[in-house]
Amino acid sequence: MKTKYFLVSVILITVLTFSGLPAQDIPDRPVPPRLVNDFANLISAQESSVLEQKLVAFNDSTSTQIAIVTVPSLGGYDIMDYAQRLGEKWGIGQKKLNNGILLLVKPKTGDSDGEITIVQGYGLEGAIPDITCGQIIDYEILPAFREGNYFGGLDAATSTLMSLARGEFSADQYGKKAMKVSGGKFPSGIVIFIIIIIVLSIFGKNKGSNNRHIGSGNLPIWLLLSMLNSGGSHKGSWGGFSGGSGSGGGFGGFGGGSFGGGGASGSW
């Protein structure tokens, strides 16, 4: 009997050990600490330095930490799951404020699409809700990424995130500006499809879903916006919707912030 229990214990330990192996795909916190970590080599060293100085200065003046991470592979993870795990492992944001933001990019390869996600800590979900993360991806990042301008997309997105976090304009104001720039037009034949999606979302609300591309609580709205934004490219600058880059010293390190499962993702 003791041998039986021993064998069962060994099997359980083995299963738990191997089931945890994928976590090794999440990179360790950088030493020395940096807010821009381009593991996929998407941008030049100079561009990385410009973004680093911009984000360090923002961290120094507000305590809000915006991190950019690019990885060559997601190791089988859904990109939002990967981002949540990385954000928690690194502790992006301040522990008591949970004011961290992570932009995670997996580049396009010969056999897979490029993917981008923005996830935010608990403390920023009011100023930067999930729907706004999706709008920033659609209007700031993806148009630039489709043209191979990774620095431009990341620079524009971080400027908007900085302005939202500072309260220079609200998420609602940004959304209206985004719709105005896009022309506010529905793609052909999309109205009926939107109605069907909303109805299905309402009836299936309590059944759960494994195919989610936005944080909790905003699925029907996100699907609506995805349909609105899928009809063409969105070009143009955001005028006053930009934050200054500034300059600052070296990054002192992450503060132990947590993430609540929110955010949005997109692909190109």
Side-chain angles (χ1 to χ4, degrees), residues 6-23:
F6 175 78
L7 291 174
V8 171
S9 298
V10 170
I11 293 172
L12 286 174
I13 292 172
T14 302
V15 171
L16 291 173
T17 299
F18 279 93
S19 66
L21 283 178

Side-chain angles (χ1 to χ4, degrees), residues 105-232:
V105 183
K106 196 282 292 182
K108 194 170 187 175
T109 63
D111 57 357
S112 66
D113 290 338
E115 297 184 66
I116 168 72
T117 190
I118 300 175
V119 295
Q120 77 282 54
Y122 295 102
L124 290 172
E125 289 179 349
I128 311 173
D130 299 342
I131 188 173
T132 305
C133 292
Q135 291 168 337
I136 293 171
I137 289 172
D138 284 334
Y139 292 105
E140 311 266 10
I141 297 176
L142 291 182
F145 277 20
R146 291 188 183 110
E147 296 177 355
N149 185 8
Y150 297 110
F151 171 78
L154 294 171
D155 186 45
T158 51
S159 290
T160 296
L161 290 167
M162 289 162 61
S163 293
L164 285 164
R166 286 194 187 105
E168 294 176 6
F169 49 83
S170 69
D172 183 61
Q173 289 173 323
Y174 177 79
K176 290 178 180 178
K177 180 81 171 182
M179 184 60 67
K180 182 177 180 180
V181 170
S182 71
K185 296 180 180 180
F186 288 86
S188 177
I190 206 64
V191 177
I192 295 176
F193 187 75
I194 290 174
I195 294 173
I196 293 174
I197 290 295
I198 292 175
V199 170
L200 290 176
S201 299
I202 293 172
F203 280 100
K205 185 176 181 180
N206 297 323
K207 295 181 180 180
S209 172
N210 293 322
N211 185 25
R212 301 182 65 183
H213 298 283
I214 195 164
S216 58
N218 290 312
L219 182 58
I221 297 176
W222 170 243
L223 288 173
L224 172 61
L225 284 173
S226 295
M227 295 303 103
L228 286 173
N229 297 337
S230 63

